Amino acid sequence: AHMYPMAIPPEFRTKPKKKAKEIELIQRPLPFAVIDILTDLKKAYLHEKTEDWRNPVRQVEIKNALVFGYSVNDKHAKAEAETVLESIGGVKTKDGHYKFDYDPKDVLREIISSGCIPDSKSFQFYQTPANLAQRVVELAEIEPQHECLEPSAGTGAIADLMPMDQTRCIEVSKLRCDVLTAKGHDAVCMDFAAWAESVSNQFDRICMNPPFDRGQWQAHITHAASLLNAGGRLVAILPSSAKGKEVLPGLAHQWHGPFDNQFAGASVSVVILVADKKVNS
């Protein structure tokens, strides 16, 4: 190989892309008590005063808001049901309602019928905090003509801040892909590495929070960078150990952070990488 490099066929002269290690994606069964609570969720209402003395108060339905039924007594089951609602984008209000920015009916029906939710550890799902998601999108500097990609979209913490009509979302979990679709996103349910190898699309802006476990982030950003147009920009949340390294050879690197203890349930320090691909001369 050293003496006669041209004797090597062209397809074997370049180092192959680093493939992500295969991780078993596990569905976690829910206790029957939790499923019963989810089944008994009610629509949430506001009580408004009226000027009609015969009906001084009226109920007004809160759009895409749910509340627990009155018969919930098991506090442990209720706590887990709350976790399920939060995992699909529900936000608890001061009135105890869970408010969604989409209609959660079909997603909840799927959870109840299957009795399972994606295991967060095996799927490496850690919701991107709002402040980090905002910073990522700001650093991407998305313009109206840009084609955008979110390769690890989850339930849309980052994608929700990107222009919906310009953004393609990839998500391996069918349940979370259903959430993205319900929100109106252009979402594909597929492993990102496999999807990246099967398409010829190129993108101007890529924003991502890839899985960290077992070094998967390196394979994910490598695949993402291969889809970047000349003059394009990739912005990724990465473990702080990556800072200062040339993790994407050939691209200009900027580092922001570290940011400590940002993710609920994971004591991890992270940085944000901004990687720019030069315009072909």
Side-chain angles (χ1 to χ4, degrees):
H2 287 285
M3 293 177 66
Y4 305 105
M6 299 307 293
I8 302 171
E11 62 268 28
F12 298 119
R13 289 180 200 156
T14 56
K15 186 177 179 180
K17 294 177 185 176
K18 186 175 181 180
K19 292 188 176 181
K21 296 179 182 178
E22 290 191 9
I23 307 294
E24 184 181 2
L25 301 179
I26 301 169
Q27 297 292 330
R28 180 168 68 84
L30 293 170
F32 289 121
V34 175
I35 296 172
D36 288 343
I37 290 173
L38 296 175
T39 303
D40 197 38
L41 286 167
K42 310 293 185 185
K43 293 179 179 179
Y45 293 88
L46 285 175
H47 294 86
E48 291 185 346
K49 292 182 179 180
T50 72
E51 296 180 357
D52 185 350
W53 62 271
R54 292 164 299 184
N55 298 292
V57 178
R58 66 175 178 179
Q59 285 189 332
V60 179
E61 183 181 336
I62 305 172
K63 185 178 180 182
N64 300 332
L66 299 170
V67 65
F68 291 113
Y70 297 112
S71 60
V72 178
N73 298 314
D74 187 335
K75 65 179 182 180
H76 299 293
K78 182 180 179 182
E80 185 157 3
E82 289 178 333
T83 301
V84 172
L85 295 179
E86 290 167 1
S87 75
I88 59 172
V91 177
K92 190 174 184 178
T93 69
K94 62 181 180 180
D95 298 319
H97 304 151
Y98 274 86
K99 186 79 172 66
F100 297 81
D101 55 4
Y102 68 99
D103 185 349
K105 178 177 58 181
D106 292 337
V107 174
L108 278 168
R109 186 182 295 121
E110 183 178 336
I111 293 173
I112 292 165
S113 62
S114 68
C116 297
I117 59 171
D119 177 72
S120 293
K121 186 173 182 181
S122 71
F123 279 82
Q124 283 290 286
F125 174 72
Y126 296 96
Q127 183 84 351
T128 308
N131 62 316
L132 279 183
Q134 184 71 44
R135 187 76 181 273
V136 165
V137 176
E138 287 174 354
L139 288 169
E141 298 180 355
I142 299 170
E143 297 179 4
Q145 74 276 16
H146 288 154
E147 291 292 325
C148 306
L149 176 69
E150 215 291 36
S152 328
T155 56
I158 295 176
D160 288 347
L161 304 177
M162 301 169 71
M164 193 173 288
D165 59 346
Q166 298 169 228
T167 304
R168 170 71 58 86
C169 297
I170 313 299
E171 171 53 40
V172 68
S173 162
K174 181 182 182 303
L175 181 69
R176 295 188 182 112
C177 196
D178 288 345
V179 171
L180 293 166
T181 301
K183 288 182 174 184
H185 289 290
D186 174 11
V188 176
C189 183
M190 194 170 177
D191 173 74
F192 172 60
W195 182 84
E197 293 176 351
S198 67
V199 298
S200 58
N201 304 57
Q202 295 287 299
F203 298 89
D204 304 297
R205 294 293 186 268
I206 300 176
C207 298
M208 60 194 300
N209 175 19
F212 289 5
D213 192 35
R214 307 186 204 181
Q216 292 181 77
W217 62 268
Q218 178 67 73
H220 276 245
I221 64 170
T222 300
H223 278 94
S226 72
L227 304 176
L228 202 59
N229 272 326
R233 170 172 289 187
L234 179 152
V235 185
I237 298 171
L238 301 178
S240 59
S241 58
K243 187 173 183 179
K245 298 177 182 177
E246 191 181 11
V247 293
L248 292 173
L251 273 64
H253 292 50
Q254 301 174 40
W255 296 96
H256 300 261
F259 307 93
D260 298 322
N261 301 317
Q262 296 289 311
F263 290 85
S267 55
V268 62
S269 176
V270 300
V271 292
I272 297 177
L273 167 67
V274 178
D276 292 306
K277 188 172 183 179
K278 295 179 181 179
V279 179
N280 295 328
S281 56

